[in-house]
Every structure is written in structure tokens, then in C-alpha cells.
Amino acid sequence: MKVAFHKHRWFSTSTSTPSSSSLPWISPLQFLKNPSQKPDLPTETTFSIVEARRKSKYISHDSAINLIKCERDPQRALEIFNKASDQRGFNHNNATYATILDKLAQFKKFRAIDAVLHQMTYETCRFHEGIFLNLMKHFSKSSLHERVLEMFYAIQTIVREKPSLKAISTCLNLLVESNQVDLARIFLVNAKTNLNLEPNTCIFNILIKYHCKKGDIKCAFQVVEEMKRSETSYPNLITYSTLMDGLCECGKLKEAVDVFEEMVSKDQIVPDALTYNVLINGFARGGKVDRANKIIEFMKKNGCKPNVFNYSALMKGFCKEGRLEEAIDAFTEMKSIGLKPDTVGYTTLIDSFCKSERTDEAMDLLQEMKEKGCRADVVTFNVILGGLCREGRVEEALGMLYTLPYEGFSLNKASYRVVLNCLCREGDLGKALELLCLMLGRGFVPHFATSNELLVRLCEDGKVADAATVLFGLVEMGFKPEPDSWSVLVDVVCRERKLLPAFVLLDELWK
């Protein structure tokens, strides 16, 4: 990639995301200007100004850091940063730069970040690579993967030291986790050539993850063999867990068990609950939930207490096979040993209740979540909305759509689509129109198939004016109607001998 071979291209400012809009940069250093000649002030005035300056509160490094952290407006945070540097004798250090960069990154002010980084190249204070590791994580979250590499290469320029093994492993892991296999490969080649990379156990483990994500289990095993030949990077629990997970993803459950047994018997590595969960998940997804259940029993006998993730994976396996009662038993057992179910566990069971047309029991679980302090997410609510609609309880579903946002819960397009589809199927076009208005008002555009179906149904029902209003409302939100949708509408208008509105409609649609 260009970033890998042209390392001087640090701090690129081009990005297509709206969140990367720039803040006006205010340089921390003052420009040298010739002071304009002013008449001497009276003695009393000069004395009062000096006294006022003496009384003004000095902003220390710790105060600046705390003020920037507490500020919710990134522009105000930047002003605080610059105000501190205006003080005589004050110079920003690694901590203040790290704080302002983290604040700007939280709000995705990437062009402002570039300006701060540029300013850092002129500073004389000592910087630490932790600043860049943090920025790498922020860029990765925003899917700006090439910027992750830029931050890595900026370490040597600004910190004036070669990146550590921690920096190398962090960069590599972020690329692999984001499935940026090509960028990871280029990065490894450059690290080996330019930094004389000597992999440690952590980097070897990331390489195994890299090969497993590609589905290249053979190469993953080769890395393990190379680790065994090394004197300083022998395989550990993470090594084997990653390899087992890769085998399970490929459906090679027997081979995964073999690796587990080799880890325990030959290398004397004691598995933890997360390692067991790899096998539990693998067997549950592979339709062998009874084997997954036996693994949990094996854990108990060998002194490893199952955790919430183990039970959630087991419940998901039972639900997948339609064994709802056994999933309920696992859920009850989990609570009986003092474990607190998480959102995934609750949602798994709620989904099965709804699919079994036991929505009331699903609603009871939703209430239990609220009482236990477990916050439901959008997936939970969408499952409930689907269950209510399948049982014909559309009014309750509509009530949830109206009230949930006011209770602090976030919904998505699918939440509204589930109910809108149900209303269209039942022919309740009046409520469908009300819901559509609510959706558009909240910034959601329904799926194109749902929108087209609603338009056609309104035309067939003779509600031409409503259909036209809906069509233009959707078009303004970026919806592109299919030819069948607006041709039906034009046809209905023409049949009513309203040719002028038809021509106006066609003209607007063409625009």
C-alpha cells in the first residue's frame, strides 16, 4: 500500500466520513509579531494591569489535563489547551498532548489531530509511544486502517525511537482483528525488513490468528511448530485457544479436541473458562450441543467454574436445536450458582420464547432484565417486536416503538420495519402511514421493498393523495422508487382523469 512504502505520508487529512470534519486549528505556539507602538499608559493603570495579571490563576499541567478531560466540546478543549500554552514559562508535555489527542479522537476530529501531530514535530519535550498506540485504536474503530499504519510509522519520527514490540503487536493485532489481511501482510514485511523484527510469543499468537482468519490452518500449525523450536516464545494458553478456535470455525471439532488434549497432557497448560468456551461454542454451533454440555460437566469436575459466556453458548446451542426447556434449565442453573445472566443470555432465551409463540414469557424476561439491572439492547427489542407482531399484538408493538426512545433505548431501521411490514400485510394502511411518518421524523427510511409495497397498496386502496405524499416524502429522504411503484400511482391518477397532476408527478419524479 502507499502508506507502507511512502512513510513520509503521515497525518493525511483526506477522509470521506462526515465525522472527520475539521476544527479550526489554533496553534499552541504564538507567532512572533512586532508589537505596535502605543503611548505610555499612566502609572496607576500600568500598576493595576500588573496586579491583575498576578492575581490570575495559573493553569498547571494537571489542571489543564483535568479541564480537557471534563470538557465535552472538543473545540473548547482545544481552546483550553492553547490557553495553557499562552502562559509564560508553560510548555506542553507528553501528558497534555496525549489528553488533547484522545479528546479529539473521541469526537473523530481527525484533521485537528493532524494539526496537533504536526505541532508535536517542533516540540523539544520527550514523547512516549503510548500516544500513538491510543490513536491507532481510535482509527481502527473508525475503520481508517491505513491511518493505523500511519500512526505506527509516526512513532519513530516524533518519539525518536524505534517502535517497541508492544507497538508492533498492537498494530498487527488491530489489522488482523479488522480483517485487513493484505495490510497486515505488508506491515509484517516492512517490520521484518526495516525493524529487524524478532517475534515474541504475543506476535506469534497474532500470526496464528492471522492465518486462522484466512482459514489457512496448515500455516497456523507451522507457526506453532516454529514457536516450539524457539527458546524464548514457547506456545501458551492463548496460542492453543486461538488454534482451537480456528479449527472449530472450519468445522474440525475432533482436531480441536486433539489440540486441547495435547495442550493439557504434553505441555501441562491448565485451561481456563475462555479456553473451554472455544470448544463449547464450536460444538454448540456445529449441532452437537450434548457434547458442549459434557464439556461444562468436565469443567466442573476439574475445578474450573463455568462462567456466563459458557452458559450463554450452551443455551444458544439448545435453542438452535429447538430444545427450549433444556435451555431454560441451563439458564436456571446459571442463576442458581450465583452467575448474573448478561444481555446475550437473556436475548437468546427471549428469542426462543417468541419463536415458540410464548411472547408473554419473553416479556416477563424483559421485565426481569430491567429489575436485575441488565440493559436490553436493540436486538432484544427487535426480537420482542417480531414476537408481538407474529401473535397479532401490533398495538403493543406500536406502543413500544413510540415510548422506547423516550426511555433512553436506541432503535434501528429494523425495529420499525418489523411493525410496518406487519401493518402492510394486515392492510391497516392508516396506522402504516402514521408509523411511516414517525420513522421519517426520526430519520429512518424503510426498506425499499416495504416502501414499494406500501405505495402499491395505497394506490390499490384508492388513496392516491396519501400515496403521492408518501412518495415525495420518501424521495426527499433519498429513496428511489421502483418503476412499478410510481407507474401504478400515475396510472391511478390518470384513471381519475386528473392528467395535470399526473404530468406534475412525472416531472417531479424525473427531477
Side-chain angles (χ1 to χ4, degrees):
M1 300 298 293
K2 291 182 180 178
V3 170
F5 294 110
H6 301 282
K7 297 178 187 175
H8 63 276
R9 280 192 63 251
W10 304 313
F11 324 142
S12 62
T13 58
S14 60
T15 175
S16 59
T17 57
S19 60
S20 61
S21 60
S22 65
L23 287 171
W25 167 245
I26 307 169
S27 174
L29 301 180
Q30 296 185 25
F31 293 102
L32 296 175
K33 295 181 180 179
N34 293 323
S36 57
Q37 296 295 325
K38 294 184 179 180
D40 293 335
L41 294 172
T43 307
E44 291 183 8
T45 309
T46 305
F47 179 78
S48 61
I49 291 173
V50 172
E51 284 297 305
R53 284 178 179 172
R54 285 177 181 171
K55 291 179 181 178
S56 62
K57 188 176 179 181
Y58 183 83
I59 302 175
S60 65
H61 288 91
D62 289 340
S63 298
I65 289 168
N66 291 329
L67 288 169
I68 292 169
K69 283 182 177 179
C70 295
E71 183 56 58
R72 294 185 178 182
D73 181 359
Q75 178 61 50
R76 284 283 303 130
L78 201 55
E79 289 171 4
I80 293 168
F81 179 84
N82 286 286
K83 184 178 180 182
S85 66
D86 287 341
Q87 303 172 114
R88 179 178 295 180
F90 183 97
N91 291 306
H92 281 295
N93 59 17
N94 180 81
T96 54
Y97 268 108
T99 305
I100 188 61
L101 285 170
D102 183 65
K103 177 63 68 174
L104 294 172
Q106 288 176 24
F107 288 90
K108 303 183 188 301
K109 302 301 179 182
F110 299 130
R111 295 185 67 183
I113 287 173
D114 289 343
V116 176
L117 290 172
H118 180 72
Q119 186 65 39
M120 288 168 68
T121 61
Y122 296 100
E123 290 282 8
T124 57
C125 66
R126 182 178 176 81
F127 292 111
H128 306 297
E129 69 176 18
I131 290 180
F132 298 93
L133 301 191
N134 185 49
L135 287 175
M136 285 157 62
K137 293 171 185 176
H138 279 294
F139 281 123
S140 181
K141 284 180 183 177
S142 300
S143 298
L144 298 172
H145 307 295
E146 292 187 10
R147 296 300 307 272
V148 173
L149 284 176
E150 289 179 14
M151 293 304 101
F152 175 82
Y153 292 123
I155 292 173
Q156 198 158 355
T157 302
I158 297 178
V159 180
R160 300 179 181 91
E161 290 180 358
K162 280 190 175 183
S164 66
L165 283 173
K166 182 180 179 181
I168 293 171
S169 60
T170 299
C171 184
L172 180 59
N173 190 54
L174 288 171
L175 293 173
V176 172
E177 284 286 348
S178 304
N179 206 28
Q180 298 297 308
V181 177
D182 291 334
L183 284 179
R185 185 187 301 114
I186 293 169
F187 172 72
L188 282 172
V189 171
N190 281 301
K192 191 171 183 179
T193 304
N194 302 318
L195 299 173
N196 298 318
L197 173 63
E198 291 293 335
N200 58 8
T201 301
C202 180
I203 292 176
F204 271 124
N205 287 340
I206 296 171
L207 291 174
I208 293 169
K209 185 199 295 184
Y210 164 82
H211 290 303
C212 287
K213 275 188 172 288
K214 286 173 58 182
D216 192 346
I217 303 299
K218 183 179 179 181
C219 283
F221 271 103
Q222 288 174 355
V223 175
V224 174
E225 291 303 316
E226 187 176 343
M227 292 178 74
K228 290 180 179 179
R229 291 191 296 268
S230 172
E231 296 180 357
T232 58
S233 54
Y234 200 80
N236 60 11
L237 183 61
I238 297 174
T239 309
Y240 285 110
S241 297
T242 305
L243 193 57
M244 288 159 53
D245 188 50
L247 289 166
C248 289
E249 286 289 337
C250 295
K252 298 180 178 181
L253 300 176
K254 182 181 180 303
E255 290 87 341
V257 174
D258 292 341
V259 169
F260 177 84
E261 291 176 351
E262 178 185 340
M263 175 187 75
V264 175
S265 61
K266 289 186 179 181
D267 291 332
Q268 304 295 308
I269 297 176
V270 179
D272 62 5
L274 291 176
T275 306
Y276 280 112
N277 205 51
V278 171
L279 292 176
I280 295 168
N281 254 322
F283 282 111
R285 287 197 307 262
K288 297 181 179 180
V289 68
D290 289 323
R291 289 289 303 275
N293 198 20
K294 286 180 181 178
I295 292 171
I296 286 191
E297 296 302 319
F298 181 82
M299 288 177 67
K300 296 175 187 174
K301 290 177 183 177
N302 286 273
C304 185
K305 186 179 178 181
N307 62 19
V308 172
F309 303 107
N310 302 143
Y311 278 105
S312 293
L314 182 64
M315 288 163 53
K316 191 175 290 186
F318 279 128
C319 291
K320 185 179 178 181
E321 295 186 13
R323 297 159 65 175
L324 178 54
E325 295 306 320
E326 289 169 275
I328 296 171
D329 291 340
F331 185 73
T332 304
E333 180 183 324
M334 173 172 57
K335 293 193 290 185
S336 69
I337 62 174
L339 292 175
K340 185 179 178 181
D342 61 0
T343 305
V344 174
Y346 273 113
T347 303
T348 298
L349 211 51
I350 287 172
D351 184 44
S352 286
F353 275 130
C354 288
K355 287 177 179 176
S356 302
E357 297 187 353
R358 295 164 63 176
T359 308
D360 284 331
E361 291 171 85
M363 297 290 281
D364 291 340
L365 275 181
L366 187 63
Q367 181 61 30
E368 182 182 313
M369 289 180 72
K370 186 176 181 180
E371 293 170 357
K372 298 293 184 180
C374 181
R375 187 174 176 83
D377 60 15
V378 67
V379 178
T380 313
F381 288 118
N382 288 354
V383 166
I384 291 281
L385 290 168
L388 290 171
C389 288
R390 278 192 294 272
E391 293 186 14
R393 299 160 65 175
V394 187
E395 288 294 335
E396 292 177 66
L398 278 171
M400 289 181 69
L401 287 179
Y402 277 101
T403 59
L404 284 174
Y406 295 105
E407 295 174 6
F409 295 103
S410 298
L411 299 175
N412 59 15
K413 185 189 294 188
S415 313
Y416 298 92
R417 186 176 67 199
V418 168
V419 184
L420 187 60
N421 284 339
C422 182
L423 291 170
C424 287
R425 284 195 304 270
E426 293 183 358
D428 195 341
L429 301 180
K431 287 180 181 174
L433 284 173
E434 290 179 14
L435 180 55
L436 180 65
C437 290
L438 180 69
M439 282 186 72
L440 296 178
R442 291 178 176 175
F444 294 103
V445 180
H447 189 267
F448 71 92
T450 304
S451 303
N452 286 312
E453 182 182 355
L454 179 59
L455 288 168
V456 170
R457 285 183 176 272
L458 287 169
C459 290
E460 290 174 346
D461 204 44
K463 298 180 178 180
V464 184
D466 289 335
T469 303
V470 167
L471 180 60
F472 288 119
L474 289 168
V475 169
E476 286 178 4
M477 296 289 288
F479 170 75
K480 292 185 178 181
E482 291 183 351
D484 290 345
S485 301
W486 57 264
S487 64
V488 169
L489 180 56
V490 171
D491 182 59
V492 173
V493 173
C494 289
R495 276 193 273 114
E496 294 185 4
R497 298 174 183 258
K498 296 177 180 178
L499 295 180
L500 182 59
F503 284 121
V504 172
L505 178 63
L506 285 170
D507 186 53
E508 288 297 322
L509 286 169
W510 181 82
K511 289 179 183 177

